[in-house]
Structures are given as C-alpha cells and as structure tokens.
Amino acid sequence: AGRLAEIKKWWDILCIRGPEYGYQPKPSKTVLIVKKDSLQMAKQIFKGSGIQVTGEGERHLGAVLGTEEFRRKYVEDKVAKWVRDVEQLSEIGRDDPQAA
C-alpha cells in the first residue's frame, strides 16, 4: 500500500497544483492499472477520486496496456472485427465490384 499511497498523494498534489500551470487533471479520463493482488487496496485508496482502478488493462492512444490476457482478448476482438469487415466487403464486391 506504500507505493499506492504515494501515487495517491502525487495525484492529490497534481489536482491542486496542476491548474496553476494550465493543466486540468480529469479523473474521469484517468485509469490506474495495478497488479491483481493490489486491486482491492488501490480501489480503497482511490475511492471517491473519480479515477478508474483496474487489474486488467486499458486501451490508451491506440495501444493496449495491461495483462497478457487483456491484451490477447483485445487483439482477438480486433481481428474478429477485421474478418467480419472483409467478409462484408467481399459480399459487396460480388454484386458491385466497383463499390468494393
């Protein structure tokens, strides 16, 4: 809990001092990714802050951060969508090749 408490302290200071420098922290857009064994402690420490706490992962600026399982599931979902899109495009191409 020591490192999590330090991160929370840093966040609180950032929320106070950030606006002095033109930075507006947005808790609703902030995600704290922790190891699963620290998840409950992190949720307790950051309770009420508005920060989303997860032990899985999150997509950030097009990259996936988190556990191997989370990254694998994300990639599988992306590939499945690409397959559906290509199949749909090939169906269109059969009837109207110029549109595809």
Side-chain angles (χ1 to χ4, degrees), residues 21-83:
Y21 297 94
Y23 179 72
Q24 305 295 328
K26 294 182 176 67
S28 62
K29 294 185 174 184
T30 303
V31 179
L32 177 63
I33 303 171
V34 297
K35 293 180 179 177
K36 288 187 180 186
D37 61 338
S38 301
L39 184 59
Q40 291 307 315
M41 180 64 70
K43 285 184 175 184
Q44 184 178 19
I45 290 172
F46 284 86
K47 184 177 183 178
S49 68
I51 293 176
Q52 177 187 344
V53 179
T54 181
E56 296 295 322
E58 184 72 17
R59 187 183 65 76
H60 178 70
L61 299 176
V64 182
L65 306 172
T67 64
E68 183 175 338
E69 179 181 332
F70 182 85
R71 293 188 317 259
R72 185 184 340 267
K73 173 87 170 90
Y74 178 84
V75 170
E76 286 173 359
D77 291 347
K78 277 289 196 190
V79 170
K81 184 183 181 321
W82 293 337
V83 168

Side-chain angles (χ1 to χ4, degrees), residues 8-29:
K8 176 64 164 76
K9 182 178 176 182
W10 171 84
W11 174 257
D12 292 341
I13 292 169
L14 183 65
C15 289
I16 294 167
R17 302 284 313 267
E20 296 173 20
Y21 297 94
Y23 179 72
Q24 305 295 328
K26 294 182 176 67
S28 62
K29 294 185 174 184

